[in-house]
Amino acid sequence: MEKNQISLPVDDLPKKWYNILPDLPEPLPPPKEPDEGPSRLEFLAKTMTKECLSQESSSQRWIAIPEEVRELYIQAGRPRPLYRARRLEKHLKLKKTRLYYKREDLSPTGSHKTNTALAQAYFASREGKRVLITETGAGQWGTALAHAARLAGLECVVFWVRSVYDWKVDRRTLMQLLGAKVYASPSKQTRMGREILARDVNHHGSLGIAVSEGLEYTEEHEGSVYCLGSVLNHVLMHQTIIGLETIKQFELIDDQPDLIVGCLGGGSNFGGISLPFVGEVLKKKRECEFLAAQTMASPSLLKGRYEYDFGDVGEHTPLMKMYTLGHKTEMKPIKADGLRYHAAAPIISLLRHRGIVKATAYPTDERAVFEAAKIFLQCEGWLIAPESSYAVRAGIDEAVKNEKIGQEKAICMNISGHGFLDIPAYKEKILS
Amino acid sequence: MEKNQISLPVDDLPKKWYNILPDLPEPLPPPKEPDEGPSRLEFLAKTMTKECLSQESSSQRWIAIPEEVRELYIQAGRPRPLYRARRLEKHLKLKKTRLYYKREDLSPTGSHKTNTALAQAYFASREGKRVLITETGAGQWGTALAHAARLAGLECVVFWVRSVYDWKVDRRTLMQLLGAKVYASPSKQTRMGREILARDVNHHGSLGIAVSEGLEYTEEHEGSVYCLGSVLNHVLMHQTIIGLETIKQFELIDDQPDLIVGCLGGGSNFGGISLPFVGEVLKKKRECEFLAAQTMASPSLLKGRYEYDFGDVGEHTPLMKMYTLGHKTEMKPIKADGLRYHAAAPIISLLRHRGIVKATAYPTDERAVFEAAKIFLQCEGWLIAPESSYAVRAGIDEAVKNEKIGQEKAICMNISGHGFLDIPAYKEKILS
């Protein structure tokens, strides 16, 4: 029998995260202060945990995953299976291309974001913090942090862009069931929020405002820490658990991927599955290509410039060298909200700059990506997140391309999350 | 490190289903014809697959799971992990009681129903059928059959009680994305549906009408087969994959359950986890107790009479000897719709009659069970189906009771499904 599910024994869950910083082909350009305003580096340092701050610029290649975090990973269902997509291959009539996918959709909150949320919550707890603060746009990150805070016995406060907060009622309910305080941003909880509401009581908010509110709240509440869900080096490092498991799983079946495909907004799931493979490519230990699937709403790696920019609209972060569309760019709303970000993580940007990571982008009507998700559902049986459908679309497109070339090739797609809370989007895009 | 997740290697997925019929303490009373009307036995035989009909009364103790079905089980994520609920134990301050739970919520459609749907679809396909027909109430069964039909390359037609069809839009969308034709019942697809609609165009339907429509449709469309999702012997047998895995998982950690708890409507998830253990109890190979958690909306095992009754309101099934409240009983609406059924499966009823299965029931306001689900979410991190929350409630109650007695005891709860499509119910029951 050909088994489509490649599972890794619980005991084989990796014991270390992979930090790519010392292996990069050139030193990562450090974050910088802007010319004006208060020190962003000091501010960031003040609101983060010491451990994450230290990991952010560590030169240590392997960083031990604390036993407590490994236990939490196992509690959250890790290791997650890798699948050979034989049913999809058959549907696409592939003869030369082997398709695989990694199942981050099995996460308790529905996305890969738990991998860093659980780690950040643990470090905060170890440093005596009591409250985790964050902002959220699409809601995946807020849910993951609410979950992690609860499991660590901490409180959680989420500032959620009002225009999303208002309609994603189920996701809001889930955060609240997990015990989080969820505020529509702009909120009455902060000076900034109150000022904005005084001018416009119906202000629909923005990610920039939500970040500002979160940071102000963190500064004014002792024992609290601000948590970020993407872009930063330590976040991508926590996510390497995905790729490290995947390497072991390919070893189990004596195969290896020639191409890894992931969707990319800020870069955390893409970095998570790719970086352990990239590290081995850089050391000439393997050959593999990497493709980021983006939305034309924010095709940072394709249309952006590689330059220093803020990580947020509100200019609270230091300047980071990234492929960026500009931190004030307006982006068209799409169903895969998680991909709407103006820039790519510094590490991913450097790899793009050096030609190691390639990128593609799909139109904002999203018909093509939802169609791919439907094919995936009907063949493989799993309902995936709108974001993940970009990875599947790109994986299918690359497979079809490869069939014309006729080379033996293995493609691995990362399924970053499930779609059970995104069914209305499917209805709109597929059934109407 | 104490690992909370007990996973079973894919290769150890059981190769046979367990058929308890030959091991029952007395022969199962056979289904009977009612005094009036057409032959129900012939009718049932005509609409089912030959294989399922043969399994229904088989005296063979172990029935091989076809390799193709094992592949589908693996595709659908089997084997599923067993968890030690150490975090919940800690929250409840348990000293003597070990709590475990089995993860059927990891199913692609969100419930254990796939275990029999995949088998039935395979048998239908092998017998040259082209269309799977069914009725659905809560929607879990319709979704599972839509999924299984798709994976087997068959069509699927679901008659869905209109009052549920109208508001469970997401679940309907999921069935449609899987390619199923979903009709609100009463529908215009059948003579019976048209007659009812002619009298009342806004008729809200009933499970009885949906069954009747499904059966009429099956009779009139060649190549179609009617599939049932609970109650019948072969359905419970397909579900024994749950308990058979669980036995192996307990062996892996050198422990064994003293009590197994599952929620019970018709009895398919309860039978699935329990029957393999019951079989060993009957052969004096182990000691274990079994507790069914019901709703006071339909407490068949507690308040019902053990007598011959129809399986459906519309009187299409043969008479079966069951604990029944009467097939015409009106049942109060609850969020855990999957538990609203007037009777318990014949096998479970016989075991109840012989004192092997015990039962409890929770009030229809469902506050207590949703509260248990919230505690479970906050401790263990998983959002479970409203139905499953009955099992968790009963598991917690039994654990607390046992602490007072002070005996060493292991309790295993079956988590029959996830709650991602039931978040509005949580909002109503917990947050309002």
Side-chain angles (χ1 to χ4, degrees), chain A residues 1-5 7 10-11 67 70-72 74-78 83 87 101 106 108 147 150-151 169-170 173-174 176-179 377-383 418 420-421 423-424 426-427 430-431, chain B residues 1-5 7 10-11 67 70-72 74-78 83 87 101 106 108 147 150-151 169-170 173-174 176-179 377-383 418 420-421 423-424 426-427 430-431:
Chain A
M1 182 174 62
E2 298 187 294
K3 285 174 305 179
N4 296 344
Q5 185 193 157
S7 64
V10 172
D11 288 330
E67 273 303 280
R70 284 189 82 229
E71 274 183 40
L72 288 167
I74 292 169
Q75 177 71 32
R78 302 212 76 90
Y83 271 63
R87 302 178 60 92
Y101 56 96
L106 293 173
H147 174 263
R150 188 73 224 180
L151 266 61
V169 180
D170 283 357
T173 299
L174 182 50
Q176 290 169 335
L177 287 170
L178 285 160
L377 172 68
Q378 294 199 346
C379 292
E380 297 293 319
W382 303 101
L383 184 73
H418 72 57
F420 285 111
L421 297 182
I423 294 179
Y426 273 92
K427 184 171 159 62
I430 297 282
L431 298 181
Chain B
M1 183 174 63
E2 299 188 294
K3 287 174 303 180
N4 297 344
Q5 185 194 156
S7 64
V10 172
D11 288 331
E67 273 303 279
R70 284 188 81 230
E71 274 183 41
L72 288 167
I74 292 168
Q75 177 71 32
R78 302 212 75 90
Y83 270 63
R87 302 178 59 92
Y101 55 97
L106 293 173
H147 174 262
R150 188 73 225 180
L151 265 62
V169 180
D170 283 356
T173 300
L174 182 50
Q176 290 169 336
L177 287 170
L178 286 160
L377 171 67
Q378 295 199 345
C379 291
E380 296 293 320
W382 302 101
L383 184 72
H418 71 57
F420 285 111
L421 298 181
I423 294 179
Y426 273 93
K427 185 171 158 60
I430 296 282
L431 298 182

Side-chain angles (χ1 to χ4, degrees), chain A residues 117-118 121 131-132 144-157 178:
Chain A
L118 290 167
V131 193
L132 306 184
L145 199 68
H147 174 263
R150 188 73 224 180
L151 266 61
L154 303 175
E155 291 171 48
C156 183
V157 176
L178 285 160

